[in-house]
Amino acid sequence: MPPLRAYLMDDQPLESHFLRYGPGLALGANGRAEADPSSILHGRACDLALDAIGVQLEPGLILYDLPPLLDGDEVLALKPQLDAVILVADGTSTSPADLNASARLLDGKLPILAVILNRGEDAARTR
């Protein structure tokens, strides 16, 4: 599958990046992290491409996997497309201060639906 960047920047059709797996699931995958996600997500072509997903695929729910909130402005660039945010905390590197900073950044802009702990370890197993 070609990089999602090509679809988001209006170079390729939706069908080249999204596969429908029945009426309730469609997936669009990207095989690599982009060096400049902010420039992609701030573009007018990206807005149109994301709108086309809603029109053509008619999803009940869309999940966007975005770069870390505190590393750039990608989440806020997509704010018009988002109803809420699910924060994913890395148990090996995300601090309580990072979570508080994320909450402050989103306060009044987007609700936090959930916080998920990824790579958490059971304290009893590490002893």
Side-chain angles (χ1 to χ4, degrees), residues 19-27 57-62:
L19 298 173
R20 183 170 287 285
Y21 297 92
L25 179 63
L27 297 176
L57 297 177
E58 299 177 350
L61 175 69
I62 298 175

Side-chain angles (χ1 to χ4, degrees), residues 10-32:
D10 201 25
D11 294 328
Q12 295 184 354
L14 183 135
E15 297 80 21
S16 66
H17 293 280
F18 291 83
L19 298 173
R20 183 170 287 285
Y21 297 92
L25 179 63
L27 297 176
N30 193 32
R32 65 172 189 209

Side-chain angles (χ1 to χ4, degrees), residues 13 15 22 34 43 45-47 66 81-82 88-89 93-94 99 101 103 106 110 115 118-119 122 124:
E15 297 80 21
E34 295 292 343
C46 181
D47 287 340
L66 298 169
Q81 300 280 347
L82 306 176
V88 179
S93 63
T94 304
L99 290 174
L106 295 171
L110 286 165
V115 177
N118 191 18
R119 290 193 257 184
D122 183 356

